[in-house]
Amino acid sequence: MDILSVSSGALYSAFVLYLIATLFFGATVRDKRTDKKQHTVSAKIAITLTIIGFAAQIVYFITRWFASGHAPVSNMFEFMTFLGMCTVFAFIIIYFYYKLSFLGLFALPISMIIIAYASMFPTDVAPLVPSLQSHWLYIHVTTVALGQGILFISFVAGLMYLIKEIDQTVKSKKTMWLEIVIYILFIFIGFIGITSAFGMMNYNATFEYPSGGETIKSEYKLPAIAGPNEGTLITENVMEPWFETPNWLQGQDAGRKFNTVIWSLITGTILFVIVRLIIRKRVGAAIQPLFKNVKADLLDEIGYRSVTIGFPVFTLGGLIFAAIWAQIAWGRFWGWDPKEVWALVTWFFYAAYLHLRLSRGWHGEKSAWLAVIGFGIIMFNLIVVNLVLAGLHSYA
Amino acid sequence: MKEIKCECGHVNPVGTVLCEACGRPIEGNQHLDGNNEKRLLNMRYDGTARRSQTYNKSIIDKIWSFFSSVKVGVWLIVLALVASMVGTIFPQEVYIPANAPSRDPAVYYEDQYGIFGLIFYQLGFHNLYTSWWYLVIIALIGISLVICSLDRFVPLFKALRHQKAQKHISFLSRQRLYSETDVASNEEIETVKNNLKKQRYNIKEENGHILAEKGRFSRWGPYVNHIGLIIILVAAILRVTPFFYMEEYVWVREGQKPIVIPGTDGQYYIENKDFILETHSKDDKRFEAAIAEEGMIPSNFQTDIVIYQTSDKTVPGADAELDPILEGSVRMNDPAKFDKYTVYQSGYQLNEFTSMTFRIHETADTEEAALDTFTVDLTAPEAEYNLDSGFRVVVDKYYPDYYLDSNGIPASETNFPRNPAYVFLIYPPNSDTAEVSFVGIGRNIDATGENIYKLGIEDFEMHDVSGLTVKYDRSLPLFGIGAAIFMIGVIQGMYWQHRRIWIHPSENGILMAGHTNKNWFGIKKDIEKVIKGTNIKMVEDQQELDEK
Ligand code: HEM
């Protein structure tokens, strides 16, 4: 059998295992009130499945490495997949320390969203351009991903803290913001759903558009609501675009990416509205009762702990190793490239978080909000900076 | 200046919050750490007297207090963070693409991004990271770092060094982790002590009072990491001076005579033997799909270079005598080094013309038989060519990189022979009247349409040009040391915690209290293990109770 299909099979299995594990983690919730023993059994099954899933993902990683001849962290698909894997890894470690099975109910879906998001990018094995041909590529990228994966756990804990602690009996700014955060997660799910749906139909519409004196082709995998700037549709019998992508959106294939964003927003919103119509209250309010037996203090502690562990790893990978590599490749260890600046912003942000934690007022809820914002900053760097602000790193 | 005498008899410096000896809260100073009416003590810096909290009279006191405040520090960090973000909205000046219609920032930003671009430019965000106000924020962070660290480190260090095992009951009972055990036997206390040792706690005993402590060194983590940061800031300042940093960019043509390397005081020369651009093979099964999708993907940029040093024997004024000192290749991710300099592969230009050979023939001759030929050496084009057959060719105009500008007038886009074009004046043998001929790649225009002679391109030679960055950066070791110290400090402060457990004998039993600077879960686990097999009560987390 072809080694690459082994690799993608392993990744797929990992995904499915995480999904089943999430269900078992879910079972630990309901059992809590009824049967303590059953509860520990399902927790055990859940974590075992998680570990097997993680092992499957390692198989994916190694076989893909073997097939391509370089560590699979060199494009958007490979990086995001690895990031999802690191999040699972961080979760496993934290689980064995704190034994809080609830965490899995949120940590695994977040990892799954990341992995699913990854698979929306081209998955072909691509050779390395000269600037990427360095061992520092692996060292830098893997460390960054590990640091970010650990920091994501603080987001998971923070989000759970907010869902648990925010008073849902009255409508307030807090409930609104929490609902917005949840809504954004829905948009991601919408993105994955709609892209997979049209992917299965093999939808394709090709455009031509001018860019810097040349004519470039752009292949849309979703029906074009927004066509490329000054583009012309060359595929026949597909939907005509409703309008053009504004020209201030920069970078390769800006139109296609913008179109995807529009689709994700639409699908996510529809999903969200349907869920709200069914449950007839805020999603946050609907989940809140699940957390009755979790100690808020412990969630706060886990959130903080993940930052204290993740911050040094992120600093090492995202700033120090990155600088060493840039020095070797380009002769400058720091170039104020947008991606670099956003790594610095992330670093400043978590430094501020740590300093604020030093005073008592910033424990608990405020700190949980910060963890959510931190996650937002990292995701911004991975998504918006790659898609909108073109730079050295936008390999997607 | 009044010192404060505690009930226990210890004399504390002004501004102390918790007595240095017994830990009793000092009346009248509790507001300094926000301890008012709180059940739990604020244990930051162990209640020591800090300069910033104590003196607030002179201007120096005020500045000191200002910069030592974490609040101010965080504001500075947030300010730097927000400014950095804004700077990424549009590309920085150095990243304006080479093929932009105008690279002049005054034009470019407005042209590309409209009114927001104009504002971006006018506010100086196009060069944000070297602008004075960005550097001022960074410098203020540096000052703040130094002052806040000194403000806390000195008193904290002294306090922890001289701490006593015996603490007042009010100190223990107001710790976050606390329990009272009414009856505890000596054996039980002994067991606890042994267990503490097994957990690698250091034990200090005074009159039956026990202080078990571990990981104190982690308290110095922040100060160590701040020192690292300060070193990095100093390195960044030094890097501005030419002693520490030099960078030049040089274009070197294949086959060109060695040229002097800028920035080396004429000491070194460089020659480009060959520039190599390789691409990944289309036939590689693994990458077929990706290459089909994206087109050719380069696999190697490389320049084979020779570096020469001017010899001592060189006579001033004469051409330099050169000794080769390095022959090797520079590749992306694999720079070459000589003396204190490093050479990086940074750019390239393929296919510049080295020379062009032209043939003169009669316009009417369909065979285009050559009457004569001449060669223009583009590295040193001559103004006039006198040929053996009697023809005289004058170069009237030369466009190294020909294009028609927006008014339809011929012009040269760059000074490099990438697309050479000429206006030649051809004087036939024994004639003083010239024919005008415009010749370029794929172009041959006869302005009058009556030319008897015509020029054709017979042959040409091409070369590649390699863009190399030559630099030295003596600040690198300093950055390295700063970064290493920073990492040591953060790891020290984050991966270890300072845990303390106090045991205070009461009438028949003991009081137990615990404190850690982080990871309360961990110290609770420790205490659970320590009291295993005894009847000593597990500590309760009073903060948790507070919240309920
Ligand atoms: C980008 C700049 C900075 C970075 C990356 C940084 C990093 C850190 C880190 C990682 C810690 C340890 C936190 C912890 O253990 O939870 C720390 C502690 C601390 N930092 Fe900074 N810091 C920075 C700037 C500042 C500034 C400007 C101040 C000035 C007010 C400051 C004051 C402090 C203080 C007071 C502590 C706590 C020390 C202790 O309680 O033991 N830091 N810093």
Side-chain angles (χ1 to χ4, degrees), chain A residues 304 308 311 347-348 351 354-355 358, chain B residues 45 67-70 72-73 77 141 144-145 148 152 156 219 222-223 225-226 229 486 490 493-494 518:
Chain A
Y304 180 39
T308 61
F311 181 75
W347 184 71
F348 273 149
L354 288 170
H355 286 94
L358 294 172
Chain B
Y45 318 109
F67 281 112
S68 77
S69 147
V70 175
V72 171
I77 294 176
I141 290 180
S144 176
L145 268 170
C148 80
R152 290 146 223 252
L156 180 66
R219 287 297 278 274
Y223 309 104
N225 87 42
H226 288 166
L229 289 173
F486 178 79
V490 209
M494 301 292 189
K518 293 193 174 62

mmCIF file of all heavy atoms in Angstrom, chain A residues 304 308 311 347-348 351 354-355 358, chain B residues 45 67-70 72-73 77 141 144-145 148 152 156 219 222-223 225-226 229 486 490 493-494 518, ligand 1:
data_model
loop_
_atom_site.group_PDB
_atom_site.id
_atom_site.type_symbol
_atom_site.label_atom_id
_atom_site.label_comp_id
_atom_site.label_asym_id
_atom_site.label_seq_id
_atom_site.Cartn_x
_atom_site.Cartn_y
_atom_site.Cartn_z
ATOM 1 N N TYR A 304 -4.360 29.062 34.404
ATOM 2 C CA TYR A 304 -3.133 29.791 34.731
ATOM 3 C C TYR A 304 -1.913 28.902 34.519
ATOM 4 O O TYR A 304 -0.901 29.301 33.945
ATOM 5 C CB TYR A 304 -3.221 30.253 36.182
ATOM 6 C CG TYR A 304 -2.024 31.027 36.670
ATOM 7 C CD1 TYR A 304 -1.379 31.955 35.847
ATOM 8 C CD2 TYR A 304 -1.541 30.847 37.965
ATOM 9 C CE1 TYR A 304 -0.301 32.670 36.299
ATOM 10 C CE2 TYR A 304 -0.454 31.561 38.427
ATOM 11 C CZ TYR A 304 0.165 32.471 37.588
ATOM 12 O OH TYR A 304 1.253 33.173 38.038
ATOM 13 N N THR A 308 1.541 29.342 32.355
ATOM 14 C CA THR A 308 2.911 29.334 32.886
ATOM 15 C C THR A 308 3.761 28.266 32.199
ATOM 16 O O THR A 308 4.951 28.443 32.036
ATOM 17 C CB THR A 308 2.956 29.104 34.408
ATOM 18 O OG1 THR A 308 2.373 27.843 34.698
ATOM 19 C CG2 THR A 308 2.252 30.183 35.161
ATOM 20 N N PHE A 311 3.970 29.540 28.101
ATOM 21 C CA PHE A 311 4.666 30.783 27.791
ATOM 22 C C PHE A 311 6.163 30.579 27.498
ATOM 23 O O PHE A 311 6.649 31.041 26.463
ATOM 24 C CB PHE A 311 4.453 31.782 28.936
ATOM 25 C CG PHE A 311 5.096 33.116 28.719
ATOM 26 C CD1 PHE A 311 4.561 34.031 27.835
ATOM 27 C CD2 PHE A 311 6.259 33.458 29.408
ATOM 28 C CE1 PHE A 311 5.162 35.276 27.644
ATOM 29 C CE2 PHE A 311 6.864 34.688 29.219
ATOM 30 C CZ PHE A 311 6.314 35.595 28.330
ATOM 31 N N TRP A 347 3.286 37.310 22.449
ATOM 32 C CA TRP A 347 4.208 37.210 23.576
ATOM 33 C C TRP A 347 3.955 38.330 24.574
ATOM 34 O O TRP A 347 3.838 38.103 25.780
ATOM 35 C CB TRP A 347 5.636 37.274 23.024
ATOM 36 C CG TRP A 347 6.708 37.090 24.012
ATOM 37 C CD1 TRP A 347 7.044 35.939 24.655
ATOM 38 C CD2 TRP A 347 7.631 38.090 24.462
ATOM 39 N NE1 TRP A 347 8.115 36.162 25.481
ATOM 40 C CE2 TRP A 347 8.488 37.472 25.377
ATOM 41 C CE3 TRP A 347 7.806 39.441 24.178
ATOM 42 C CZ2 TRP A 347 9.525 38.151 26.011
ATOM 43 C CZ3 TRP A 347 8.828 40.113 24.803
ATOM 44 C CH2 TRP A 347 9.679 39.480 25.712
ATOM 45 N N PHE A 348 3.834 39.568 24.068
ATOM 46 C CA PHE A 348 3.508 40.701 24.931
ATOM 47 C C PHE A 348 2.213 40.426 25.676
ATOM 48 O O PHE A 348 2.081 40.706 26.860
ATOM 49 C CB PHE A 348 3.322 41.971 24.097
ATOM 50 C CG PHE A 348 4.580 42.748 23.829
ATOM 51 C CD1 PHE A 348 4.725 43.478 22.651
ATOM 52 C CD2 PHE A 348 5.616 42.773 24.744
ATOM 53 C CE1 PHE A 348 5.872 44.214 22.397
ATOM 54 C CE2 PHE A 348 6.764 43.509 24.497
ATOM 55 C CZ PHE A 348 6.897 44.232 23.322
ATOM 56 N N ALA A 351 2.663 37.977 28.419
ATOM 57 C CA ALA A 351 3.463 38.604 29.481
ATOM 58 C C ALA A 351 2.556 39.495 30.317
ATOM 59 O O ALA A 351 2.599 39.473 31.554
ATOM 60 C CB ALA A 351 4.604 39.408 28.886
ATOM 61 N N LEU A 354 0.478 37.385 32.615
ATOM 62 C CA LEU A 354 1.213 36.908 33.791
ATOM 63 C C LEU A 354 1.373 38.017 34.821
ATOM 64 O O LEU A 354 1.243 37.784 36.023
ATOM 65 C CB LEU A 354 2.585 36.386 33.374
ATOM 66 C CG LEU A 354 2.571 35.062 32.621
ATOM 67 C CD1 LEU A 354 3.930 34.764 32.040
ATOM 68 C CD2 LEU A 354 2.148 33.939 33.561
ATOM 69 N N HIS A 355 1.666 39.227 34.342
ATOM 70 C CA HIS A 355 1.836 40.321 35.289
ATOM 71 C C HIS A 355 0.519 40.661 35.981
ATOM 72 O O HIS A 355 0.495 40.955 37.165
ATOM 73 C CB HIS A 355 2.396 41.549 34.588
ATOM 74 C CG HIS A 355 3.842 41.412 34.246
ATOM 75 N ND1 HIS A 355 4.271 40.965 33.024
ATOM 76 C CD2 HIS A 355 4.951 41.616 34.976
ATOM 77 C CE1 HIS A 355 5.580 40.918 33.025
ATOM 78 N NE2 HIS A 355 6.032 41.301 34.183
ATOM 79 N N LEU A 358 -0.436 38.636 38.901
ATOM 80 C CA LEU A 358 0.263 38.879 40.158
ATOM 81 C C LEU A 358 -0.626 39.614 41.155
ATOM 82 O O LEU A 358 -0.422 39.542 42.351
ATOM 83 C CB LEU A 358 1.534 39.695 39.910
ATOM 84 C CG LEU A 358 2.622 39.000 39.088
ATOM 85 C CD1 LEU A 358 3.732 39.968 38.760
ATOM 86 C CD2 LEU A 358 3.180 37.809 39.835
ATOM 87 N N TYR B 45 5.771 39.434 48.143
ATOM 88 C CA TYR B 45 7.029 39.960 48.682
ATOM 89 C C TYR B 45 7.090 39.801 50.184
ATOM 90 O O TYR B 45 7.780 40.539 50.874
ATOM 91 C CB TYR B 45 7.231 41.422 48.250
ATOM 92 C CG TYR B 45 6.838 41.585 46.819
ATOM 93 C CD1 TYR B 45 5.698 42.273 46.459
ATOM 94 C CD2 TYR B 45 7.580 40.942 45.836
ATOM 95 C CE1 TYR B 45 5.295 42.329 45.134
ATOM 96 C CE2 TYR B 45 7.174 40.993 44.515
ATOM 97 C CZ TYR B 45 6.032 41.694 44.170
ATOM 98 O OH TYR B 45 5.636 41.738 42.878
ATOM 99 N N PHE B 67 7.557 54.005 38.081
ATOM 100 C CA PHE B 67 8.099 52.941 37.235
ATOM 101 C C PHE B 67 8.087 51.578 37.897
ATOM 102 O O PHE B 67 8.199 50.562 37.225
ATOM 103 C CB PHE B 67 9.518 53.291 36.794
ATOM 104 C CG PHE B 67 9.545 54.271 35.663
ATOM 105 C CD1 PHE B 67 10.025 55.556 35.837
ATOM 106 C CD2 PHE B 67 9.065 53.909 34.423
ATOM 107 C CE1 PHE B 67 10.036 56.457 34.791
ATOM 108 C CE2 PHE B 67 9.071 54.806 33.366
ATOM 109 C CZ PHE B 67 9.555 56.082 33.553
ATOM 110 N N SER B 68 7.976 51.538 39.222
ATOM 111 C CA SER B 68 8.019 50.219 39.843
ATOM 112 C C SER B 68 6.632 49.601 39.890
ATOM 113 O O SER B 68 6.481 48.466 40.313
ATOM 114 C CB SER B 68 8.620 50.304 41.228
ATOM 115 O OG SER B 68 7.670 50.805 42.102
ATOM 116 N N SER B 69 5.638 50.349 39.458
ATOM 117 C CA SER B 69 4.296 49.796 39.521
ATOM 118 C C SER B 69 4.060 48.801 38.391
ATOM 119 O O SER B 69 4.360 49.083 37.223
ATOM 120 C CB SER B 69 3.286 50.946 39.443
ATOM 121 O OG SER B 69 2.128 50.514 38.778
ATOM 122 N N VAL B 70 3.540 47.637 38.745
ATOM 123 C CA VAL B 70 3.265 46.650 37.699
ATOM 124 C C VAL B 70 2.183 47.177 36.765
ATOM 125 O O VAL B 70 2.186 46.924 35.565
ATOM 126 C CB VAL B 70 2.823 45.304 38.314
ATOM 127 C CG1 VAL B 70 2.412 44.333 37.220
ATOM 128 C CG2 VAL B 70 3.950 44.707 39.116
ATOM 129 N N VAL B 72 1.762 50.212 35.730
ATOM 130 C CA VAL B 72 2.416 51.019 34.702
ATOM 131 C C VAL B 72 3.140 50.110 33.700
ATOM 132 O O VAL B 72 3.049 50.307 32.489
ATOM 133 C CB VAL B 72 3.397 52.017 35.344
ATOM 134 C CG1 VAL B 72 4.240 52.695 34.285
ATOM 135 C CG2 VAL B 72 2.640 53.025 36.169
ATOM 136 N N GLY B 73 3.815 49.101 34.251
ATOM 137 C CA GLY B 73 4.536 48.160 33.382
ATOM 138 C C GLY B 73 3.589 47.511 32.380
ATOM 139 O O GLY B 73 3.883 47.451 31.184
ATOM 140 N N ILE B 77 3.478 47.671 28.274
ATOM 141 C CA ILE B 77 3.481 46.485 27.421
ATOM 142 C C ILE B 77 2.287 46.530 26.463
ATOM 143 O O ILE B 77 2.415 46.288 25.265
ATOM 144 C CB ILE B 77 3.450 45.191 28.269
ATOM 145 C CG1 ILE B 77 4.745 45.061 29.066
ATOM 146 C CG2 ILE B 77 3.245 43.970 27.396
ATOM 147 C CD1 ILE B 77 4.775 43.866 29.993
ATOM 148 N N ILE B 141 9.849 50.721 28.898
ATOM 149 C CA ILE B 141 9.697 49.362 29.431
ATOM 150 C C ILE B 141 10.997 48.940 30.095
ATOM 151 O O ILE B 141 10.999 48.366 31.186
ATOM 152 C CB ILE B 141 9.307 48.368 28.306
ATOM 153 C CG1 ILE B 141 7.885 48.636 27.834
ATOM 154 C CG2 ILE B 141 9.430 46.929 28.796
ATOM 155 C CD1 ILE B 141 7.396 47.710 26.737
ATOM 156 N N SER B 144 11.379 50.697 33.397
ATOM 157 C CA SER B 144 10.426 50.123 34.326
ATOM 158 C C SER B 144 10.913 48.769 34.850
ATOM 159 O O SER B 144 10.804 48.469 36.041
ATOM 160 C CB SER B 144 9.101 49.996 33.594
ATOM 161 O OG SER B 144 8.169 49.365 34.388
ATOM 162 N N LEU B 145 11.473 47.988 33.933
ATOM 163 C CA LEU B 145 11.998 46.677 34.307
ATOM 164 C C LEU B 145 13.065 46.783 35.388
ATOM 165 O O LEU B 145 13.049 46.057 36.380
ATOM 166 C CB LEU B 145 12.674 46.057 33.090
ATOM 167 C CG LEU B 145 11.845 45.172 32.198
ATOM 168 C CD1 LEU B 145 12.607 44.869 30.928
ATOM 169 C CD2 LEU B 145 11.539 43.906 32.925
ATOM 170 N N CYS B 148 11.461 48.269 38.808
ATOM 171 C CA CYS B 148 10.543 47.392 39.541
ATOM 172 C C CYS B 148 11.291 46.190 40.092
ATOM 173 O O CYS B 148 10.990 45.708 41.167
ATOM 174 C CB CYS B 148 9.386 46.961 38.658
ATOM 175 S SG CYS B 148 9.807 45.646 37.554
ATOM 176 N N ARG B 152 11.723 45.304 44.317
ATOM 177 C CA ARG B 152 11.207 44.120 44.981
ATOM 178 C C ARG B 152 12.272 43.116 45.365
ATOM 179 O O ARG B 152 12.187 42.468 46.396
ATOM 180 C CB ARG B 152 10.201 43.397 44.079
ATOM 181 C CG ARG B 152 8.942 44.173 43.939
ATOM 182 C CD ARG B 152 8.340 44.000 42.582
ATOM 183 N NE ARG B 152 7.874 45.303 42.100
ATOM 184 C CZ ARG B 152 6.602 45.625 42.010
ATOM 185 N NH1 ARG B 152 5.677 44.755 42.281
ATOM 186 N NH2 ARG B 152 6.267 46.821 41.608
ATOM 187 N N LEU B 156 12.840 41.404 49.193
ATOM 188 C CA LEU B 156 12.365 40.015 49.205
ATOM 189 C C LEU B 156 13.519 39.071 49.520
ATOM 190 O O LEU B 156 13.388 38.133 50.314
ATOM 191 C CB LEU B 156 11.751 39.660 47.850
ATOM 192 C CG LEU B 156 11.213 38.235 47.754
ATOM 193 C CD1 LEU B 156 10.025 38.069 48.701
ATOM 194 C CD2 LEU B 156 10.762 37.898 46.341
ATOM 195 N N ARG B 219 11.750 31.878 43.114
ATOM 196 C CA ARG B 219 11.324 33.263 43.331
ATOM 197 C C ARG B 219 12.223 34.252 42.595
ATOM 198 O O ARG B 219 11.853 35.386 42.368
ATOM 199 C CB ARG B 219 11.346 33.602 44.831
ATOM 200 C CG ARG B 219 10.233 32.973 45.607
ATOM 201 C CD ARG B 219 8.874 33.439 45.164
ATOM 202 N NE ARG B 219 8.434 34.720 45.708
ATOM 203 C CZ ARG B 219 7.816 34.847 46.873
ATOM 204 N NH1 ARG B 219 7.560 33.795 47.622
ATOM 205 N NH2 ARG B 219 7.425 36.040 47.289
ATOM 206 N N PRO B 222 11.750 35.678 37.985
ATOM 207 C CA PRO B 222 11.388 36.925 37.309
ATOM 208 C C PRO B 222 12.550 37.904 37.224
ATOM 209 O O PRO B 222 12.726 38.567 36.201
ATOM 210 C CB PRO B 222 10.269 37.498 38.183
ATOM 211 C CG PRO B 222 9.698 36.329 38.888
ATOM 212 C CD PRO B 222 10.811 35.346 39.064
ATOM 213 N N TYR B 223 13.348 37.968 38.287
ATOM 214 C CA TYR B 223 14.446 38.941 38.259
ATOM 215 C C TYR B 223 15.504 38.511 37.264
ATOM 216 O O TYR B 223 16.080 39.327 36.550
ATOM 217 C CB TYR B 223 15.010 39.130 39.670
ATOM 218 C CG TYR B 223 13.888 39.411 40.639
ATOM 219 C CD1 TYR B 223 13.421 38.436 41.524
ATOM 220 C CD2 TYR B 223 13.204 40.622 40.572
ATOM 221 C CE1 TYR B 223 12.339 38.676 42.340
ATOM 222 C CE2 TYR B 223 12.112 40.872 41.387
ATOM 223 C CZ TYR B 223 11.686 39.897 42.270
ATOM 224 O OH TYR B 223 10.593 40.129 43.055
ATOM 225 N N ASN B 225 14.897 36.723 34.588
ATOM 226 C CA ASN B 225 14.419 36.933 33.216
ATOM 227 C C ASN B 225 14.406 38.413 32.862
ATOM 228 O O ASN B 225 14.680 38.795 31.729
ATOM 229 C CB ASN B 225 13.085 36.216 32.959
ATOM 230 C CG ASN B 225 11.850 36.992 33.330
ATOM 231 O OD1 ASN B 225 11.754 38.184 33.078
ATOM 232 N ND2 ASN B 225 10.889 36.309 33.918
ATOM 233 N N HIS B 226 14.153 39.265 33.848
ATOM 234 C CA HIS B 226 14.203 40.699 33.557
ATOM 235 C C HIS B 226 15.624 41.134 33.210
ATOM 236 O O HIS B 226 15.818 41.998 32.356
ATOM 237 C CB HIS B 226 13.651 41.507 34.731
ATOM 238 C CG HIS B 226 12.153 41.383 34.866
ATOM 239 N ND1 HIS B 226 11.464 41.778 35.974
ATOM 240 C CD2 HIS B 226 11.225 40.895 34.014
ATOM 241 C CE1 HIS B 226 10.165 41.559 35.808
ATOM 242 N NE2 HIS B 226 10.003 41.006 34.614
ATOM 243 N N LEU B 229 16.091 40.369 29.688
ATOM 244 C CA LEU B 229 15.423 41.354 28.828
ATOM 245 C C LEU B 229 16.233 42.638 28.736
ATOM 246 O O LEU B 229 16.354 43.250 27.670
ATOM 247 C CB LEU B 229 14.032 41.677 29.377
ATOM 248 C CG LEU B 229 12.982 40.584 29.247
ATOM 249 C CD1 LEU B 229 11.713 40.964 29.984
ATOM 250 C CD2 LEU B 229 12.681 40.332 27.775
ATOM 251 N N PHE B 486 17.087 35.051 29.743
ATOM 252 C CA PHE B 486 15.638 35.179 29.831
ATOM 253 C C PHE B 486 14.983 33.807 29.984
ATOM 254 O O PHE B 486 14.156 33.579 30.855
ATOM 255 C CB PHE B 486 15.078 35.900 28.606
ATOM 256 C CG PHE B 486 13.582 36.008 28.616
ATOM 257 C CD1 PHE B 486 12.960 36.967 29.390
ATOM 258 C CD2 PHE B 486 12.803 35.129 27.881
ATOM 259 C CE1 PHE B 486 11.571 37.058 29.426
ATOM 260 C CE2 PHE B 486 11.422 35.214 27.918
ATOM 261 C CZ PHE B 486 10.805 36.182 28.687
ATOM 262 N N VAL B 490 12.712 32.464 33.033
ATOM 263 C CA VAL B 490 11.293 32.103 32.925
ATOM 264 C C VAL B 490 11.089 30.668 33.370
ATOM 265 O O VAL B 490 10.133 30.367 34.089
ATOM 266 C CB VAL B 490 10.745 32.208 31.484
ATOM 267 C CG1 VAL B 490 9.282 32.516 31.493
ATOM 268 C CG2 VAL B 490 11.452 33.204 30.675
ATOM 269 N N GLY B 493 11.252 30.400 37.075
ATOM 270 C CA GLY B 493 10.090 30.954 37.760
ATOM 271 C C GLY B 493 8.800 30.215 37.480
ATOM 272 O O GLY B 493 7.866 30.253 38.274
ATOM 273 N N MET B 494 8.725 29.534 36.338
ATOM 274 C CA MET B 494 7.456 28.933 35.939
ATOM 275 C C MET B 494 7.376 27.443 36.242
ATOM 276 O O MET B 494 6.307 26.924 36.523
ATOM 277 C CB MET B 494 7.235 29.102 34.431
ATOM 278 C CG MET B 494 7.214 30.522 33.974
ATOM 279 S SD MET B 494 5.770 31.354 34.611
ATOM 280 C CE MET B 494 5.890 32.859 33.715
ATOM 281 N N LYS B 518 2.633 29.844 43.326
ATOM 282 C CA LYS B 518 1.844 29.352 42.188
ATOM 283 C C LYS B 518 1.509 27.892 42.437
ATOM 284 O O LYS B 518 2.159 27.250 43.232
ATOM 285 C CB LYS B 518 2.681 29.333 40.901
ATOM 286 C CG LYS B 518 3.087 30.599 40.349
ATOM 287 C CD LYS B 518 3.616 30.361 38.917
ATOM 288 C CE LYS B 518 3.903 31.672 38.286
ATOM 289 N NZ LYS B 518 4.941 32.392 39.000
HETATM 290 C C1 HEM C 1 8.141 42.596 27.790
HETATM 291 C C2 HEM C 1 8.480 42.801 28.963
HETATM 292 C C3 HEM C 1 8.384 41.871 30.126
HETATM 293 C C4 HEM C 1 8.382 40.508 30.167
HETATM 294 C C5 HEM C 1 8.435 39.540 28.995
HETATM 295 C C6 HEM C 1 8.312 40.114 31.538
HETATM 296 C C7 HEM C 1 8.273 38.814 31.967
HETATM 297 C C8 HEM C 1 7.991 38.452 33.266
HETATM 298 C C9 HEM C 1 7.724 37.147 33.682
HETATM 299 C C10 HEM C 1 7.687 35.942 32.767
HETATM 300 C C11 HEM C 1 7.485 37.169 34.995
HETATM 301 C C12 HEM C 1 7.164 35.994 35.866
HETATM 302 C C13 HEM C 1 5.715 36.026 36.124
HETATM 303 C C14 HEM C 1 5.282 34.929 36.976
HETATM 304 O O1 HEM C 1 6.126 34.292 37.643
HETATM 305 O O2 HEM C 1 4.076 34.674 36.984
HETATM 306 C C15 HEM C 1 7.599 38.502 35.421
HETATM 307 C C16 HEM C 1 7.389 38.926 36.715
HETATM 308 C C17 HEM C 1 7.375 40.235 37.076
HETATM 309 N N1 HEM C 1 7.555 41.323 36.260
HETATM 310 FE FE1 HEM C 1 7.952 41.279 34.330
HETATM 311 N N2 HEM C 1 8.273 41.222 32.319
HETATM 312 C C18 HEM C 1 8.295 42.304 31.476
HETATM 313 C C19 HEM C 1 8.233 43.626 31.832
HETATM 314 C C20 HEM C 1 8.027 44.064 33.115
HETATM 315 C C21 HEM C 1 7.920 45.423 33.472
HETATM 316 C C22 HEM C 1 7.993 46.586 32.514
HETATM 317 C C23 HEM C 1 7.745 45.451 34.796
HETATM 318 C C24 HEM C 1 7.613 46.705 35.593
HETATM 319 C C25 HEM C 1 6.702 47.047 36.321
HETATM 320 C C26 HEM C 1 7.714 44.094 35.281
HETATM 321 C C27 HEM C 1 7.519 43.719 36.593
HETATM 322 C C28 HEM C 1 7.447 42.437 37.024
HETATM 323 C C29 HEM C 1 7.193 42.059 38.375
HETATM 324 C C30 HEM C 1 7.023 42.981 39.536
HETATM 325 C C31 HEM C 1 7.162 40.670 38.410
HETATM 326 C C32 HEM C 1 6.875 39.785 39.590
HETATM 327 C C33 HEM C 1 8.016 39.388 40.389
HETATM 328 C C34 HEM C 1 7.536 38.528 41.507
HETATM 329 O O3 HEM C 1 6.418 38.694 41.945
HETATM 330 O O4 HEM C 1 8.278 37.682 41.962
HETATM 331 N N3 HEM C 1 7.899 43.269 34.238
HETATM 332 N N4 HEM C 1 7.911 39.281 34.327
#
